[in-house]
Amino acid sequence: MKNVVILGAGYAGLTTLKGLKKAAKAGEVKVTLVNKNSYHYDTVNLHEVSAGNIASRDICIDIKDLVSPGVEFIQDEVIKIDTEKKLVLTKKHELDYDVLVVGLGFQPETFGIEGMAENAMPIADINAAEKISATLEDNFRKYATSEEKDVKDISVIVGGTGLAGMEFLGELVHRKKELCSKYGIDEKLVKIYGLDAAPTLLPMFTKEYSDYARKFLEDNGIEIILGAGIKGATKDSFTIEVDGERKELFASTLVWTAGVRGNKLMDEAFPELSKRGRLVTTQQLTVPGLDDVYIVGDCAAFIETGQERPYPTTAQIANQMGAYVGARISGKQVGDFKYINRGVVCSLGHKDGIADVMGGKKAKGFAAAKLKKIIEAKAIYELTDFVTALKNQRIL
């Protein structure tokens, strides 16, 4: 009986677990799932929690509800991976393994920008999202109740206009209206900036659709500044450089969405192979030279044969990685991993968005927003089951 240890209950970890449940129930494998929290959270919805438009419980699933016979769940934090001794050390346990699946997720990456790590809030996890939401409302309340009326308190700067940044900005369109109504603030006084060093917005979409997203935000009072190299951050400002000229933008709410990396334990466990927490795997998603260690999700840099660059880390590829690894460990998959890109969707709040999905089908507006919720429900089904997906869907 194989002793399989899965580190992390993100998308890749849970889809791996799902693929092993039948083998575990039959006594063919023993599975131990290790996760820091007692719950799985949908990373693709953190921007909604960060804005304060939904509660964190709306995107969390209790792991105990997903554990079946033959599976043990340990809530603990991984502190070391020893591949020579085939051991995983957590704060409270020492776990041996025959097969190890590492899906420890991502961490924020600030690329050494001065003051960024200390002063800006990343959309990193549930706790970070709740902190952003609380800070945002606290600052609006402060503006409404203070005599000074410092406009910084009703200003927000978002560093990064990739998918995470754009979706958060889209959520702020609704949230700022709500906060202004709640605290009696003139919405026209609110300043929200979206910054990016890149010269183009959302390059994964056609220009027509990226222009649509930009117009939606700008029509709702959000200023997008591209070609803006972020040079530093203080407790209430970002310093940017545009066309060789430096300027300082001020806000009491500073959010960072422009960079992520894999888990730092990857660099410690695989110092010669891992860079910024990501490891270039074999075509079977294993560590080169270690057929018993799989790397999945945000920690994996998968470069398909014939390509030069790894695929971006998304929930979509994480789900496919987990399904492949679960099938491979249980003996149902023998070929190489093949990623199927089913397209991309960017929500702009709960009623708008843009989509370019598999088969060249495109949508924008309300249809794209609903399509994203359908895709999210499907993703939950892929890593759990029909009942859980139905219970946690937010299509209606």
Side-chain angles (χ1 to χ4, degrees):
M1 184 170 63
K2 290 181 182 177
N3 180 19
V4 182
V5 175
I6 303 172
L7 306 182
Y11 296 107
L14 288 186
T15 46
T16 301
L17 176 64
K18 184 176 181 178
L20 290 170
K21 279 188 175 181
K22 285 185 179 180
K25 188 174 182 180
E28 297 168 4
V29 297
K30 173 191 173 186
V31 181
T32 303
L33 174 66
V34 183
N35 196 62
K36 182 178 179 180
N37 302 310
S38 63
Y39 53 84
H40 160 87
Y41 60 87
D42 292 324
T43 308
V44 296
N45 300 117
L46 283 175
H47 59 282
E48 296 178 78
V49 178
S50 298
N53 289 332
I54 63 173
S56 58
R57 63 178 177 273
D58 294 333
I59 66 168
C60 291
I61 301 171
D62 285 337
I63 295 174
K64 63 179 176 59
D65 294 337
L66 307 177
V67 174
S68 57
V71 177
E72 180 184 7
F73 169 55
I74 295 176
Q75 184 183 346
D76 204 350
E77 184 176 353
V78 180
I79 58 176
K80 185 177 180 180
I81 299 169
D82 188 332
T83 57
E84 289 188 5
K85 296 181 180 179
K86 301 186 74 167
L87 288 174
V88 172
L89 302 182
T90 69
K91 286 186 174 181
K92 300 177 182 178
H93 299 83
E94 181 176 291
L95 306 172
D96 63 289
Y97 66 84
D98 297 315
V99 179
L100 179 66
V101 182
V102 183
L104 289 171
F106 72 89
Q107 295 177 315
E109 174 62 86
T110 59
F111 307 108
I113 298 175
E114 184 178 356
M116 188 62 69
E118 297 80 11
N119 297 300
M121 297 175 288
I123 303 180
D125 54 30
I126 285 291
N127 292 332
E130 290 178 335
K131 180 181 177 180
I132 293 170
S133 173
T135 299
L136 182 66
E137 178 153 8
D138 286 347
N139 285 331
F140 271 69
R141 185 188 302 111
K142 179 182 176 183
Y143 178 89
T145 56
S146 66
E147 295 182 0
E148 293 80 7
K149 301 295 187 228
D150 190 342
V151 73
K152 286 189 304 188
D153 294 330
I154 51 172
S155 298
V156 182
I157 303 176
V158 180
T161 59
L163 283 174
M166 287 294 285
E167 291 191 321
F168 178 61
L169 289 167
E171 292 296 323
L172 288 179
V173 170
H174 171 76
R175 185 59 170 155
K176 73 167 181 173
K177 294 179 185 295
E178 187 178 69
L179 289 173
C180 286
S181 175
K182 182 176 181 178
Y183 293 110
I185 299 170
D186 183 352
E187 193 177 328
K188 294 178 182 178
L189 298 175
V190 177
K191 297 182 182 297
I192 302 176
Y193 304 92
L195 313 176
D196 208 297
T200 57
L201 190 69
L202 298 176
M204 67 288 290
F205 290 96
T206 63
K207 187 176 185 303
E208 175 191 353
Y209 275 59
S210 62
D211 286 349
Y212 176 92
R214 181 169 188 165
K215 185 176 187 302
F216 172 85
L217 294 177
E218 291 180 341
D219 286 350
N220 283 280
I222 295 175
E223 184 177 352
I224 302 296
I225 306 176
L226 300 180
I230 302 174
K231 302 302 180 182
T234 68
K235 64 181 179 62
D236 58 4
S237 74
F238 274 10
T239 299
I240 62 173
E241 185 174 300
V242 182
D243 296 329
E245 181 180 347
R246 289 204 176 202
K247 62 185 297 186
E248 197 169 11
L249 299 175
F250 294 92
S252 294
T253 304
L254 306 176
V255 179
W256 176 251
T257 67
V260 296
R261 49 161 290 154
N263 193 284
K264 64 180 182 180
L265 284 177
M266 291 291 295
D267 296 338
E268 298 171 7
F270 312 101
E272 297 180 0
L273 297 173
S274 178
K275 183 177 181 181
R276 287 183 172 169
R278 298 186 70 197
L279 183 148
V280 177
T281 69
T282 67
Q283 296 303 297
Q284 297 80 39
L285 301 182
T286 56
V287 175
L290 295 173
D291 293 340
D292 55 358
V293 181
Y294 291 89
I295 309 296
V296 292
D298 295 309
C299 293
F302 176 69
I303 304 175
E304 196 164 352
T305 301
Q307 296 189 356
E308 296 181 356
R309 297 178 60 83
Y311 286 110
T313 54
T314 63
Q316 181 181 172
I317 193 171
N319 272 13
Q320 292 183 37
M321 285 177 167
Y324 169 87
V325 170
R328 186 174 177 85
I329 294 172
S330 58
K332 298 176 182 178
Q333 175 63 256
V334 294
D336 294 343
F337 173 68
K338 299 294 182 184
Y339 172 54
I340 301 173
N341 187 350
R342 298 191 173 96
V344 61
V345 183
C346 177
S347 65
L348 300 167
H350 66 285
K351 292 184 178 180
D352 219 311
I354 54 176
D356 186 350
V357 296
M358 197 171 183
K361 297 178 181 178
K362 295 180 174 61
K364 56 187 175 183
F366 185 72
K370 283 299 180 184
L371 178 60
K372 186 166 192 285
K373 293 305 173 190
I374 293 171
I375 292 171
E376 289 169 1
K378 180 177 179 292
I380 295 173
Y381 168 72
E382 289 174 350
L383 57 92
T384 59
D385 52 51
F386 178 78
V387 173
T388 302
L390 185 63
K391 179 181 176 182
N392 289 276
Q393 62 82 26
R394 293 191 291 120
I395 302 171
L396 303 177

